[in-house]
Amino acid sequence: MSHRIERLSLKGEGLTGDGLTVALALPGEEVEGEADNGRIDRPRIVTPVADRVRPPCRHFASCGGCALQHGSDAFVAGWKTQVVERALAGQGLEAPVRPILTSPPASRRRAVLAGRRTKKGVLVGFHARASDVVTEIPDCRLLHPDLMAALPAAAAATLLGASRKGALAITVTRSEDGVDMAVAEAKPLDTALRIDLAALAESHDLARLSWNGEQLAERRPPRQAMGRAHVVPPAGAFLQATEAGQAALTQAVREALDGARKVADLFAGAGTFALPLAETAEVQAVEGSAAMLAALDRGWRGAPGLKRVTTEARDLFRRPLLPVELARVEAVVIDPPRAGAEAQCAEIARSDLARVAMVSCNPVTFARDAKRLCSGGFRLDWVQPVDQFRWSGHVELAAQFSR
């Protein structure tokens, strides 16, 4: 029995009209295959569409690190733009949506690898689709070459620290000073393992190595550029996935808040936007993680010529900034996690603020929060989609709101 693919899910998988999920299929294609629990994982493409291309990576068929290498670049860009437009339309919103900005191949500077012990040695790579099988990725087209060069270090860490039952989660981050590796779900540390891991960091020239949340070695502080400042984030901390993506989002935020002299950065992280904005404005940075704010503060103090940056550790889900607090600034940038910032946007809508820049990694919660702002008197001026998770189902965006 054949099935027609009607659209893609938000994960980039094909969906049929009768509710089947079909891996590696594109809208308009006819497919055949055995369905299991509502899925066809290995479809036969009966009638491919013109947008189907040969995947650039030889690992694509078995690796779960990418979802959309079988679609042309133009198709993926158009689909991700549609995801944003449909999310807005679902809330009754319209705004100019700018052409999407896509990060180049081999530019991901942060990834979480899986490391598993086997009878013959170790496997390091990404999990296969909908599986706990680990696929090796020696020719990955996604990761920056510096991260590819760290695969042997990840393999060595797996050999030392993985049990035969589970997989390590190995976060590798490219910094200006070398690879920053944070290993989780690993064996507990003892004296012998500490000695072996210190030797591993030395032999593989890691900038920093952390193990189950404990820093073991920092041979060089792994700095990240944020405007003119340099920040050393906590091990494994959130970081924009590519330099090009960070630059695109930062430029959009600068444009949205141009001319503002006092700004609040909400969900500020380690200063991705606060520190570039501090080149022209005083910034109040608010973030739930005290460790992230400490890194931001050290980066600010080490960068000459920036305007004043103050920090406040605060849970913005439970204690959003109120209108009386927002009255101290002229504009706000807000970059919440995937859940969005419903409570904070309700307070912004009640405030007298005239301008807001919002950054989001989830168009659905963005549209919900944008509706709240627009119901409170704001206008959504424009939306800038950014694709820094190339070949995945993810799309990010920045947007400008004004009264």
Side-chain angles (χ1 to χ4, degrees), residues 30-371:
E30 295 285 338
V31 305
E32 293 178 348
E34 193 73 28
D36 182 22
N37 290 324
R39 288 182 60 87
I40 301 177
D41 281 318
R42 297 184 177 277
R44 186 171 75 85
I45 309 300
V46 179
T47 56
V49 293
D51 278 311
R52 177 170 287 277
V53 298
R54 181 174 180 173
C57 178
R58 69 180 178 91
H59 307 305
F60 178 66
S62 57
C63 175
C66 293
L68 282 165
Q69 287 195 7
H70 57 298
S72 69
D73 286 351
F75 167 80
V76 175
W79 173 69
K80 292 194 176 189
T81 301
Q82 286 180 354
V83 167
V84 174
E85 292 171 340
R86 287 171 180 164
L88 292 174
Q91 295 288 347
L93 299 175
E94 290 185 4
V97 177
R98 296 175 171 181
I100 194 168
L101 301 174
T102 302
S103 296
S107 66
R108 278 282 294 275
R109 62 177 178 180
R110 182 178 185 274
V112 181
L113 303 171
R116 186 180 292 280
R117 289 277 299 274
T118 67
K119 291 181 180 178
K120 296 182 179 180
V122 299
L123 292 172
V124 171
F126 291 122
H127 286 290
R129 293 179 190 87
S131 170
D132 62 357
V133 173
V134 176
T135 302
E136 291 187 297
I137 51 168
D139 295 320
C140 178
R141 298 285 298 133
L142 188 66
L143 301 185
H144 189 282
D146 289 357
L147 296 190
M148 294 300 294
L151 290 176
T158 302
L159 193 61
L160 289 172
S163 70
R164 291 289 294 275
K165 294 182 179 179
L168 300 184
I170 307 169
T171 301
V172 285
T173 305
R174 177 180 182 262
S175 78
E176 295 184 359
D177 307 280
V179 170
D180 183 9
M181 181 178 291
V183 181
E185 300 171 32
K187 288 180 182 177
L189 288 166
D190 58 25
T191 301
L193 184 54
R194 288 176 184 274
I195 293 170
D196 289 341
L197 291 171
L200 183 156
E202 188 73 27
S203 63
H204 290 277
D205 195 29
L206 298 179
R208 180 169 64 180
L209 175 61
S210 301
W211 197 263
N212 290 338
E214 180 180 339
Q215 182 173 303
L216 290 180
E218 185 176 273
R219 302 176 59 252
R220 297 178 297 276
R223 299 172 298 164
Q224 301 291 342
M226 297 181 183
R228 294 204 297 257
H230 290 83
V231 174
V232 180
F238 172 81
L239 188 70
Q240 298 294 340
T242 68
E243 290 186 30
Q246 177 171 313
L249 293 171
T250 300
Q251 176 56 36
V253 168
R254 284 184 192 268
E255 178 185 345
L257 303 187
D258 183 44
R261 294 165 298 176
K262 290 188 176 182
V263 173
D265 181 358
L266 308 182
F267 301 95
T272 301
F273 304 119
L275 292 168
L277 289 171
E279 295 172 16
T280 56
E282 291 187 8
V283 181
Q284 176 190 7
V286 186
E287 159 64 35
S289 166
M292 294 280 266
L293 289 178
L296 186 162
D297 186 65
R298 286 191 296 269
W300 170 66
R301 293 178 186 280
L306 297 186
K307 295 188 180 296
R308 186 166 178 253
V309 176
T310 57
T311 59
E312 179 184 358
R314 179 163 170 170
D315 184 341
L316 290 169
F317 293 109
R318 290 190 172 92
R319 293 181 56 233
L321 262 68
L322 301 175
V324 66
E325 297 171 289
L326 293 167
R328 301 168 190 159
V329 298
E330 299 171 20
V332 160
V333 54
I334 181 169
D335 180 16
R338 292 191 63 80
E342 197 166 14
Q344 183 60 77
C345 285
E347 300 302 333
I348 293 172
R350 293 174 52 226
S351 76
D352 292 328
L353 282 172
R355 262 191 299 167
V356 173
M358 190 183 298
V359 177
S360 173
C361 58
N362 184 342
V364 174
T365 56
F366 165 78
R368 178 202 67 199
D369 293 344
K371 176 73 170 180

